[in-house]
Amino acid sequence: MMNLRKFLARVVPALALMSAAASPALAQQGPQFIPLDPPFTSETAGKQEILEFFSYACSHCAVMAPMADKLSTELPESFTLVHVPVSFNASMVPMQHLYYSLVALDRKDLHLKVFDAIHKQKQRLFTRDEIIDWAVKQGIDKQEFTATYDSFGVGAKVKRAAELTDQYKVNSTPTYAVAGKYLTSPGMTGTYESAITLIKELVAKETAQ
């Protein structure tokens, strides 16, 4: 009989990948966005935020990641795009640590490459060891990356990401919160492109006020 720990190590990451990739269904139902009342306050000094709630395991997030990256370069000076990695279960937490480790090491240039590694190259980046091995292959010093991954600072950011996910009541990825006032997703708008269009419209609305 297979050891239970080994079984869970194989099955849980796969389930995380399936659950994240399965949502949202790209079929518009109901409103295109949800107004947030009262609105939430930006945590970026002097700027309004677009929070992108995502998971590296989510295939929809993989499609939207380059679109969101392009959007970030087109925003007015008063706005900024903030990535918020989510964890709907414990098996997704290592991927949160991965994102915040890349940020801490000033290697956000690898953000899109993580999506490619998982969804195009079919690499498994669901555990601490798998992630560290991948990071080393990208030219990052193993000791430095490991120390960063396990650091208090990264752990605190992971905790805050979980708080934001709960605060905004996010239950699927990708989901976008605009200016703390609106919540939308491609599942609500119907397509990836229409989600980006709506985000731009909401940003323009807030900028004009």
Side-chain angles (χ1 to χ4, degrees):
M1 180 179 294
M2 180 182 294
N3 178 279
L4 178 58
R5 181 174 295 180
K6 291 182 179 180
F7 175 78
L8 291 175
R10 293 182 183 181
V11 173
V12 173
L15 291 177
L17 179 62
M18 292 170 61
S19 63
S23 60
L26 294 181
Q28 182 184 345
Q29 297 179 351
Q32 291 196 323
F33 66 86
I34 299 172
L36 301 173
D37 188 21
F40 295 110
T41 304
S42 171
E43 296 184 2
T44 301
K47 291 182 180 290
Q48 297 190 77
E49 297 172 327
I50 299 171
L51 302 183
E52 181 191 45
F53 293 92
F54 79 96
S55 168
Y56 282 129
C58 167
S59 61
H60 296 300
C61 298
V63 173
M64 287 209 71
M67 299 171 67
D69 189 55
K70 182 174 184 294
L71 172 67
S72 69
T73 67
E74 301 171 342
L75 294 173
E77 186 64 26
S78 58
F79 266 86
T80 186
L81 177 70
V82 179
H83 302 294
V84 183
V86 306
S87 59
F88 297 130
N89 54 60
S91 72
M92 299 171 73
V93 172
M95 289 180 283
Q96 292 177 293
H97 278 262
L98 167 56
Y99 174 73
Y100 286 120
S101 295
L102 295 179
V103 172
L105 294 170
D106 196 25
R107 291 304 309 270
K108 285 187 68 175
D109 58 297
L110 295 176
H111 177 60
L112 297 182
K113 292 185 179 181
V114 177
F115 285 110
D116 287 346
I118 293 174
H119 298 280
K120 294 181 180 180
Q121 301 163 17
K122 306 304 180 184
Q123 297 184 44
R124 293 179 58 85
L125 301 181
F126 306 125
T127 68
R128 177 179 178 276
D129 289 345
E130 291 168 344
I131 288 169
I132 292 173
D133 287 345
W134 180 84
V136 171
K137 292 176 182 176
Q138 309 315 305
I140 302 176
D141 178 78
K142 183 175 183 179
Q143 184 175 352
E144 182 180 22
F145 185 86
T146 302
T148 303
Y149 182 99
D150 294 332
S151 69
F152 174 82
V154 166
K157 289 185 178 296
V158 167
K159 180 180 179 181
R160 183 57 184 149
E163 292 171 349
L164 286 171
T165 302
D166 291 339
Q167 179 177 307
Y168 282 86
K169 295 181 172 57
V170 172
N171 55 24
S172 66
T173 53
T175 294
Y176 297 86
V178 181
K181 296 181 179 181
Y182 316 98
L183 203 67
T184 190
S185 70
M188 297 176 68
T189 64
T191 66
Y192 305 119
E193 293 79 8
S194 59
I196 295 295
T197 297
L198 177 60
I199 291 169
K200 288 181 177 179
E201 291 173 353
L202 294 173
V203 166
K205 177 181 177 181
E206 291 303 307
T207 303
Q209 293 182 1

